[in-house]
Amino acid sequence: MKEKAYFVCTNCGYESLQWFGRCPKCGEWNSASEIKAKISKQNRAVVLSLREAKKSAETINRLSTGFTELDAALGGGILPGQVILLGGEPGVGKSTLALEICNQFSRNGLETLYVAAEESVDQIAIRSQRLFHDDPEKIMVCSENDLEQVVDLLNHNYSLLIIDSLQTMYSPQVGTYPGSILQIRTCAEKIIERCKELSIPSIIIAHITKSGEISGPKLVEHLVDTVVYFEGERNTELRVLRIMKNRFGPSGEVAIFEMTEDGLKQVINPAFYDTEDQLPGNCLTCAVEGSRTFVVQVQALVSRTKSAVPRRVSNGFEMTRLLLLLAVIGRHMHLPIESHDVYVNILGGLKITDPGIDAAVVGALLSSMLDKRIGGMSLIGEVSLDGSLKHVHRLKSRIEAIRKVGISSIIIPRTAELKEEDIQKISSVRELGRVLGVT
Ligand code: TYD
Ligand code: MG
């Protein structure tokens, strides 16, 4: 094995073969730390025919997490050697989920190693008492944050490794404190290398702050096979697992959970709407996240501002998109919405990334501003800068989902190639205003 030295900025992770006094990327002084990487020389590169590779891939079994929704979102379960980064804010339920997955493995007779670097073994035992009544004989727990010791512990007996959490792991070979970018990267690299060697799947837990500020977990995203983010507000029970990246299945998939008194329960058909008498400021639509459709209710409150800078608050809908929609309403509908305080909320606590709900957000804003009910009407479409309504993907499934909840009056973009009697087509937000009777 050959050793190669390079320098990494302990502040931002910048790499260079030469020493630097000041990091050219982040500007930090004296942040260069020397890393000695071992380069193993493999004897010979292996060439396989794709047909052979395909055959051997077909024989590999995916392991179940115990949650059918999560298995489906991962593309059928966990593969041997798969490295999953599980990110989320503190308190969202990452440790709970990891322990429940261990329990499922244990039920199937598979031994797992849970490295509780931030909690004591007793704390894990108390949590397991709360979560399940099975005998957790096959769940091995170790409260250790020295990475070298954990790597030494790993062997073929284990079918899953949990690292809880990456930020508390510590490699004595790296001279910085746990949680530093260099520690995070080194620990992740070593865990991944060992798990791949032994073909043990692993779930590496990482904390993320509310604004997603911590760059540590982001820095290791390219090293892992799958990146999963656990989202949810502390004051609601709803939890959403979002697959951000997946080398072994589709990305963008979601699985919905509920945090209950005795653990996480998957929610098969979540309802994020209320079809009862709709007051002004509400609008129903259907969002697509991954391969799933969700009927959602957009709520808006538009009120005359009393301050120099109007307030904009958005829950579950991206702020930059909201600002764009407000500008479109102001410019193309000639409404003074920019001088109003605006609050937008997606009912149920779901975060929607799909722009196909734009038309419904505009609908809810107009409905609130002009105090008019939209009633049992649903709007689908993406709004573009010129005020036109753009076609959205999976339109048919969206319409189907909306009809299932008993709404028959649906508005879609004119460009859609769909001809159905009870569906109205419009081309712009201006026309939307006319149809809703607000402009
Ligand atoms: P936890 O898994 O510790 O979160 P994380 O590892 O992401 O920091 O769980 C956090 C919260 O979940 C905690 O406030 C208690 C609550 N909880 C339940 O509501 N039900 C349960 O069965 C468990 C184990 C926890
Ligand atoms: Mg935890």
Side-chain angles (χ1 to χ4, degrees):
M1 243 185 239
K2 241 172 76 180
E3 257 194 359
K4 192 183 168 198
Y6 64 103
F7 297 88
V8 176
C9 169
T10 50
N11 188 45
C12 71
Y14 169 80
E15 282 177 18
S16 164
L17 287 174
Q18 265 134 32
W19 184 85
F20 47 87
R22 185 181 189 205
C23 173
K25 193 171 167 205
C26 68
E28 187 79 6
W29 287 96
N30 292 328
S31 60
S33 173
E34 187 177 7
I35 301 280
K36 288 206 171 83
K38 287 198 173 79
I39 303 168
S40 58
K41 272 193 103 186
Q42 283 195 347
N43 293 340
R44 192 175 275 179
V46 181
V47 180
L48 266 184
S49 85
L50 191 54
R51 190 203 237 165
E52 272 174 84
K54 239 174 110 183
K55 258 192 206 151
S56 72
E58 273 161 14
T59 59
I60 297 173
N61 269 341
R62 290 194 185 239
L63 302 161
S64 172
T65 59
F67 297 103
T68 49
E69 290 285 290
L70 177 56
D71 287 348
L74 286 169
I78 301 179
L79 278 164
Q82 180 172 6
V83 182
I84 301 174
L85 181 73
L86 173 60
E89 287 171 34
V92 73
K94 303 178 294 297
S95 305
T96 307
L97 179 69
L99 198 55
E100 293 206 40
I101 295 174
C102 286
N103 186 40
Q104 175 64 24
F105 272 60
S106 167
R107 270 189 208 154
N108 292 340
L110 303 171
E111 198 159 286
T112 56
L113 178 62
Y114 193 115
V115 178
E118 52 185 55
E119 286 171 311
S120 66
V121 171
D122 290 345
Q123 278 170 302
I124 307 290
I126 292 169
R127 185 178 290 131
S128 83
Q129 250 170 13
R130 186 172 171 184
L131 292 177
F132 40 81
H133 307 294
D134 306 65
D135 175 18
E137 184 204 343
K138 298 235 168 240
I139 307 178
M140 299 301 176
V141 190
C142 147
S143 184
E144 179 59 70
N145 66 357
D146 183 335
L147 176 86
E148 309 300 334
Q149 294 203 33
V150 170
V151 167
D152 284 346
L153 276 179
L154 279 176
N155 60 47
H156 283 290
N157 291 339
Y158 297 117
S159 300
L160 178 69
L161 167 73
I162 309 281
I163 299 287
D164 190 2
S165 66
L166 183 59
Q167 276 106 330
T168 38
M169 291 308 288
Y170 172 78
S171 167
Q173 287 176 3
V174 182
T176 54
Y177 52 90
S180 71
I181 283 172
L182 206 53
Q183 281 286 1
I184 288 178
R185 269 239 326 241
T186 313
C187 292
E189 275 169 4
K190 291 197 174 176
I191 294 162
I192 293 167
E193 191 188 340
R194 185 76 180 129
C195 284
K196 293 275 178 199
E197 246 172 53
L198 298 168
S199 279
I200 303 174
S202 53
I203 298 178
I204 302 176
I205 294 176
H207 295 300
I208 315 268
T209 53
K210 186 122 198 124
S211 50
E213 276 300 300
I214 291 187
S215 56
K218 284 251 169 269
L219 267 178
V220 298
E221 278 186 2
H222 69 283
L223 299 174
V224 302
D225 301 310
T226 307
V227 177
V228 182
Y229 279 114
F230 213 2
E231 303 166 355
E233 301 292 330
R234 254 185 234 192
N235 48 358
T236 68
E237 291 81 43
L238 185 85
R239 301 286 182 269
V240 180
L241 261 185
R242 214 181 275 275
I243 315 285
M244 309 296 282
K245 162 188 163 178
N246 196 0
R247 286 187 185 145
F248 304 128
S251 62
E253 289 295 331
V254 292
I256 313 273
F257 289 88
E258 195 184 347
M259 179 62 97
T260 67
E261 273 297 298
D262 45 1
L264 284 159
K265 303 273 174 287
Q266 56 183 4
V267 187
I268 312 278
N269 283 315
F272 301 110
Y273 58 89
D274 185 7
T275 44
E276 291 300 297
D277 197 22
Q278 298 269 349
L279 294 171
N282 286 292
C283 185
L284 284 184
T285 187
C286 179
V288 173
E289 294 290 330
S291 62
R292 316 248 333 237
T293 51
F294 299 103
V295 173
V296 291
Q297 180 168 348
V298 183
Q299 265 187 347
L301 174 68
V302 179
S303 66
R304 200 163 276 284
T305 188
K306 294 203 169 53
S307 55
V309 184
R311 281 178 70 85
R312 270 90 181 85
V313 178
S314 184
N315 250 333
F317 186 68
E318 211 189 318
M319 182 56 91
T320 44
R321 277 213 82 74
L322 173 62
L323 298 178
L324 184 149
L325 297 180
L326 293 176
V328 167
I329 294 173
R331 173 76 170 71
H332 296 285
M333 300 181 82
H334 309 294
L335 288 172
I337 199 159
E338 274 154 342
S339 58
H340 286 69
D341 288 337
V342 172
Y343 305 85
V344 167
N345 182 34
I346 308 291
L347 227 67
L350 194 65
K351 252 188 220 153
I352 304 288
T353 57
D354 171 21
I357 71 161
D358 281 358
V361 175
V362 170
L365 290 168
L366 295 177
S367 164
S368 169
M369 186 176 181
L370 304 156
D371 207 25
K372 279 206 156 196
R373 284 168 200 254
I374 293 187
M377 191 188 278
S378 180
L379 312 179
I380 305 174
E382 182 180 343
V383 173
S384 58
L385 289 180
D386 59 4
S388 61
L389 221 58
K390 284 205 322 214
H391 183 55
V392 293
H393 71 297
R394 306 206 36 219
L395 188 61
K396 270 196 179 154
S397 356
R398 291 182 201 241
I399 293 172
E400 229 168 78
I402 290 170
R403 280 190 178 141
K404 256 193 205 153
V405 303
I407 293 170
S408 54
S409 172
I410 303 171
I411 293 183
I412 63 170
R414 193 176 300 280
T415 47
E417 291 165 3
L418 214 75
K419 284 193 191 82
E420 285 186 46
E421 275 171 18
D422 52 351
I423 288 183
Q424 198 174 349
K425 288 183 173 182
I426 58 164
S427 57
S428 65
V429 285
R430 215 175 285 175
E431 209 178 328
L432 178 64
R434 272 201 298 278
V435 172
L436 300 178
V438 291
T439 49

